[in-house]
Amino acid sequence: MLGFLKQPVVVTAEINVNLVALTVMGLVNRLWALSYPRAVVFDEVYYGQFVSLYMKRIFFVDDSGPPFGHMLLAFGGYLGGFDGNFLWNRIGAEYSMNVPVWSLRLLPALTGSLCVPLAYQILVELHYSHCAAFGAALLILFVLSYLKFYNLQKCSPFTAGWWFWLLLTGVACSCAVGIKYMGLFTYMLLLAIAAVHSWHLIGDQTLSNVSVLCHLLARGIALVVVPVAMYLSFFYVHLTLLYRSGPHDQIMTSAFQASLEGGLARITQGQPLEVAYGSQITLRNVLGKPVPCWLHSHKNTYPIRYENGRGSSHQQQVTCYPFKDVNNWWIVKDPGMQQLVVSNPPRPIRHGHIVQLVHGITTRYLNTHDVAAPLSPHSQEISCYIDYNISMPAQNLWRVEIVNRELDTDVWKTILSEVRFVHVNTSAVLKLSGASLPEWGYRQLEIIGEKLSKGYHQSMLWNVEEHRYGKSQEQKEREVELHSPTQADISKNLSFMARFTELQWKILTLKNEDTEHKYSSSPLDWITMDTNIAYWFHPVSGAQIHLIGNVLTWASANVATLVYVCLFLWYLLRRRRKICDIPEDAWRLWVSAGGLCVGGWAVNYLPFFMMEKTLFLYHYLPALTFQILLIPVVLQHLTHHLCRSQLPKNVFSALMVAWFSSVYLVYRTFSPLTYGEPTLSAAELRALRWKDSWDILIRKH
């Protein structure tokens, strides 16, 4: 039984020395002096504040992309014991001792380090030589994993290794998109490559229909379902961690705000759920643009005549006010009764009911009539009615329409219901126009009555944010009541999908005011590297860190792309004439490598010409990665297929050695600007300014 012990247990392993060496080189290159400088470097001032909010579990919204990248940075801070207490207010600020600088920078540095061996393995999987693979520098993980899967599926489909690489591809895709939406470009490229492979599988007569269907389903699950599920999980973790009210609450809906601990949840805790006749409410516009605001009125009236000569009703102004104020309170009144208090038992308001809205402080009724709005002359003016004893009777009846109702008998609910108010007499809808009124309107936002139209634009929708059951019939007592905090206890927690949908929409549509940055650039500047970014500058020593590429590598990548495109078109035209300059296997390899590298460059570069946002040089790095990968592909192709005799091959090899040496020399020359040390003199800094457009910082003595 124990006979197997008579023989020694032998474990053999193959170690790729190239891969190990590249991994070590990448780690040394990225991790060396990682905690230097111990000061805020460029975008750390932006992303650091989000790390602090994670540490304190405070909700935020960042329009730069999904939350996975932020969570990775926060995880580094968590590993280092960061408590979140640091003021991220300026680049160059010295870090306090509680900030684990090395830990915060570790994960980005590690991922950059691993790009080096990954680039090597990608070219190996593309069936290029180990020498060519050794020359590649950077690429992202999910392209490698799909190539590994594709090569495995030729000989061993549906094995454990096959499933591992296929699922890893989907996971890596979701991670790429979950960090930055720029990753979506390469994800689309990968889906296109997978679609081509699937098309070839469909045409493979050696596979049965069932086998083809299984292949397609496996790819659909791994490359679509898994990334979507992973992407949702990033938001689930994000929303689970950030459960406290924070500085970005106001841009979210009232229902979302009420689901967070503190903030609006503290204010609205205990409010009655069902709006009834006599309820005292504040109405928040659902659109939230240009700023979140509440239906508001004050004693001031519209001017008799506007600046353009048009007349007004001279009624009491109604606006949308972007701050909480006692003048935001309204009382929902039953048109058939005089009382302004909630009866016992309360009579809830349902979809389709007719109401009057009474301004709580001035006791005037919300009204509209056939008078043009001050800034929107094609719409009706909204006012609170003042009886001037002229032939303009009050028209103050409004029909409540619950837009997100499930049944036509649904009750109007606090926070949860999105309603629109339709004027009974004119069918105009209460709407936020978004325009700012002149000085006479205190720059508050215009409210208009728009004729009933199809659809439900968010500017027409309102939700009850604060709510209480009115108890005081006398005006003075009611004013005291309106100034008092609300009470009762109703839970209004949203489902995860509702919160995810709202947060995702805010990320996609939220637009910060992009101002021109000193180091912003255009996509045309990136090709020739006519720009750089000064990341950090020491005010005393003059030491500095820049984002500045290796000029020779940058130029070589452009040349490689141009050479590839020219050769590809030449070969394509010649093959059209039935002239094959290279073997069929070499042609397929040439096309597949170009589809990956040139296609990857194009999808990660060209979309920036259509983007209206502040752009920086680092936006070009994903596209450049694919270009750099193309360099060894072109070099190997030239060596094997254009250098026919030994002499040209020897000369070409010597030129490649000289080129690699020059790349290293440029790297060493600019390393003081990459790592921030050693400190250079003013003359040495001027010597590194190879282009007039580069902003090398030189101290004036």
Side-chain angles (χ1 to χ4, degrees):
M1 182 177 178
L2 299 178
F4 71 93
L5 293 178
K6 295 178 181 179
Q7 298 295 328
V9 178
V10 179
V11 177
T12 59
E14 291 184 3
I15 298 177
N16 188 329
V17 177
N18 286 354
L19 199 60
V20 173
L22 286 169
T23 304
V24 172
M25 290 166 58
L27 289 170
V28 172
N29 180 273
R30 299 300 199 279
L31 299 182
W32 183 74
L34 186 61
S35 58
Y36 177 83
R38 194 175 171 80
V40 178
V41 176
F42 201 63
D43 266 357
E44 288 180 355
V45 76
Y46 180 74
Y47 290 102
Q49 59 183 318
F50 300 130
V51 174
S52 289
L53 292 173
Y54 268 114
M55 297 300 103
K56 298 177 179 180
R57 304 292 190 267
I58 294 175
F59 175 77
F60 67 86
V61 179
D62 178 23
D63 66 334
S64 69
F68 186 55
H70 301 81
M71 288 192 291
L72 288 179
L73 295 175
F75 182 64
Y78 172 77
L79 293 177
F82 184 41
D83 57 7
N85 292 319
F86 182 76
L87 186 62
W88 309 86
N89 58 352
R90 64 181 179 88
I91 298 173
E94 294 290 328
Y95 282 121
S96 55
M97 294 307 297
N98 69 307
V99 181
V101 180
W102 191 87
S103 178
L104 285 170
R105 294 172 179 169
L106 176 61
L107 286 176
L110 281 177
T111 54
S113 304
L114 294 176
C115 283
V116 179
L118 287 173
Y120 170 87
Q121 195 65 30
I122 286 166
L123 284 190
V124 170
E125 294 297 331
L126 282 170
H127 303 294
Y128 280 85
S129 68
H130 288 273
C131 181
F134 202 86
L138 302 168
L139 202 62
I140 34 185
L141 171 63
F142 59 83
V143 178
L144 165 69
S145 56
Y146 184 76
L147 290 173
K148 192 77 176 177
F149 152 76
Y150 178 65
N151 289 330
L152 275 175
Q153 68 97 18
K154 296 177 181 178
C155 56
S156 53
F158 301 108
T159 60
W162 185 91
W163 277 109
F164 172 79
W165 288 107
L166 181 59
L167 291 172
L168 182 61
T169 302
V171 171
C173 287
S174 60
C175 291
V177 178
I179 290 175
K180 280 285 186 181
Y181 285 127
M182 289 167 55
L184 189 63
F185 303 144
T186 313
Y187 178 41
M188 292 295 105
L189 175 67
L190 185 136
L191 288 180
I193 294 173
V196 172
H197 292 166
S198 299
W199 184 252
H200 290 159
L201 281 173
I202 293 173
D204 189 348
Q205 296 299 318
T206 63
L207 297 175
S208 66
N209 292 339
V210 174
S211 181
V212 171
L213 181 60
C214 290
H215 274 284
L216 297 179
L217 286 176
R219 285 161 173 77
I221 291 171
L223 301 182
V224 178
V225 177
V226 168
V228 169
M230 287 285 295
Y231 185 78
L232 289 173
S233 71
F234 298 150
F235 279 86
Y236 183 83
V237 174
H238 175 75
L239 292 170
T240 301
L241 291 175
L242 306 184
Y243 59 87
R244 291 176 178 159
S245 175
H248 298 166
D249 290 8
Q250 289 296 316
I251 66 173
M252 309 305 290
T253 63
S254 302
F256 194 104
Q257 293 181 55
S259 69
L260 299 172
E261 180 182 294
L264 181 63
R266 185 177 62 251
I267 297 173
T268 60
Q269 182 181 9
Q271 293 187 147
L273 178 61
E274 296 183 345
V275 179
Y277 289 110
S279 285
Q280 299 170 356
I281 61 174
T282 63
L283 291 166
R284 186 181 192 263
N285 190 263
V286 171
L287 180 63
K289 292 180 181 180
V291 290
C293 61
W294 292 262
L295 190 66
H296 176 94
S297 186
H298 40 243
K299 293 181 179 180
N300 301 68
T301 59
Y302 291 107
I304 297 177
R305 290 201 174 274
Y306 300 123
E307 291 83 349
N308 58 8
R310 287 192 299 111
S312 78
S313 65
H314 199 46
Q315 300 281 334
Q316 182 173 299
Q317 296 175 20
V318 173
T319 65
C320 207
Y321 189 52
F323 302 99
K324 293 185 183 298
D325 186 84
V326 69
N327 280 311
N328 298 345
W329 284 92
W330 300 81
I331 302 170
V332 185
K333 180 181 175 296
D334 183 348
M337 303 180 67
Q338 292 301 314
Q339 66 181 32
L340 296 178
V341 296
V342 176
S343 61
N344 189 14
R347 293 184 297 131
I349 299 170
R350 300 182 183 276
H351 171 74
H353 280 192
I354 306 300
V355 300
Q356 293 173 313
L357 293 176
V358 182
H359 188 239
I361 296 298
T362 62
T363 67
R364 294 197 169 112
Y365 290 64
L366 187 71
N367 185 82
T368 188
H369 31 232
D370 192 18
V371 175
L375 302 180
S376 306
H378 298 293
S379 301
Q380 293 180 188
E381 174 193 273
I382 300 293
S383 63
C384 280
Y385 183 75
I386 302 175
D387 188 1
Y388 289 120
N389 291 319
I390 58 176
S391 57
M392 185 181 286
Q395 296 181 4
N396 51 32
L397 299 180
W398 300 86
R399 183 172 66 253
V400 176
E401 293 187 355
I402 303 174
V403 174
N404 60 342
R405 66 188 183 278
E406 295 180 359
L407 301 171
D408 286 344
T409 57
D410 277 3
V411 174
W412 183 8
K413 295 178 181 177
T414 306
I415 292 180
L416 301 178
S417 295
E418 294 181 354
V419 305
R420 69 175 189 168
F421 298 96
V422 181
H423 191 238
V424 172
N425 298 78
T426 64
S427 297
V429 180
L430 189 70
K431 179 181 177 181
L432 168 69
S433 77
S436 294
L437 295 170
E439 290 295 335
W440 53 259
Y442 304 101
R443 301 293 178 185
Q444 295 174 18
L445 301 180
E446 181 191 39
I447 294 293
I448 61 174
E450 184 165 284
K451 290 293 185 179
L452 187 60
S453 58
K454 295 181 179 179
Y456 301 103
H457 191 269
Q458 286 187 321
S459 59
M460 300 178 179
L461 304 183
W462 304 83
N463 70 269
V464 174
E465 189 170 90
E466 295 180 68
H467 175 212
R468 63 165 62 85
Y469 282 163
K471 300 177 181 178
S472 304
Q473 185 67 35
E474 295 296 325
Q475 176 61 15
K476 289 186 178 181
E477 295 178 3
R478 191 161 55 243
E479 288 186 18
V480 173
E481 193 174 59
L482 291 172
H483 282 87
S484 303
T486 56
Q487 300 179 10
D489 193 14
I490 300 291
S491 174
K492 302 176 185 67
N493 291 328
L494 292 179
S495 66
F496 161 69
M497 285 307 299
R499 299 172 74 201
F500 162 75
T501 303
E502 180 176 343
L503 179 56
Q504 179 66 88
W505 179 250
K506 289 295 182 184
I507 291 174
L508 293 176
T509 59
L510 182 64
K511 287 186 178 181
N512 288 331
E513 293 185 5
D514 287 331
T515 56
E516 192 68 21
H517 193 281
K518 180 181 180 180
Y519 293 106
S520 63
S521 54
S522 72
L524 289 176
D525 297 327
W526 305 340
I527 290 286
T528 52
M529 210 181 74
D530 286 336
T531 182
N532 69 304
I533 302 176
Y535 272 1
W536 171 79
F537 177 78
H538 195 284
V540 178
S541 68
Q544 48 197 285
I545 294 176
H546 289 253
L547 174 62
I548 189 167
N550 188 309
V551 179
L552 187 54
T553 304
W554 217 279
S556 301
N558 291 331
V559 171
T561 305
L562 183 62
V563 169
Y564 178 88
V565 172
C566 291
L567 281 176
F568 175 79
L569 293 175
W570 172 254
Y571 289 150
L572 196 62
L573 289 172
R574 300 265 290 175
R575 289 174 71 86
R576 188 64 177 168
R577 300 294 297 172
K578 306 300 182 183
I579 303 172
C580 297
D581 298 289
I582 58 177
E584 192 64 28
D585 288 345
W587 168 251
R588 284 198 295 267
L589 189 62
W590 183 246
V591 171
S592 63
L596 175 66
C597 299
V598 178
W601 170 80
V603 300
N604 282 282
Y605 174 59
L606 298 180
F608 285 107
F609 285 96
M610 298 178 286
M611 293 186 184
E612 297 180 359
K613 60 178 291 186
T614 305
L615 299 174
F616 296 92
L617 179 61
Y618 54 69
H619 286 117
Y620 186 59
L621 296 183
L624 179 68
T625 298
F626 285 94
Q627 265 194 313
I628 292 175
L629 197 66
L630 189 63
I631 296 174
V633 170
V634 172
L635 290 177
Q636 178 174 315
H637 182 82
L638 295 177
T639 304
H640 289 179
H641 300 288
L642 298 186
C643 298
R644 304 285 183 178
S645 61
Q646 192 60 41
L647 179 60
K649 287 186 178 182
N650 291 339
V651 172
F652 194 74
S653 297
L655 290 174
M656 282 196 292
V657 171
W659 174 76
F660 268 110
S661 302
S662 300
V663 169
Y664 178 73
L665 180 61
V666 173
Y667 161 74
R668 289 294 302 169
T669 302
F670 283 90
S671 61
L673 296 184
T674 302
Y675 297 103
E677 53 185 8
T679 303
L680 301 180
S681 65
E684 290 172 320
L685 289 170
R686 290 191 187 95
L688 290 179
R689 193 178 181 184
W690 289 9
K691 291 193 174 188
D692 293 336
S693 56
W694 289 357
D695 189 7
I696 307 296
L697 306 177
I698 301 174
R699 287 192 306 150
K700 295 180 180 180
H701 295 283

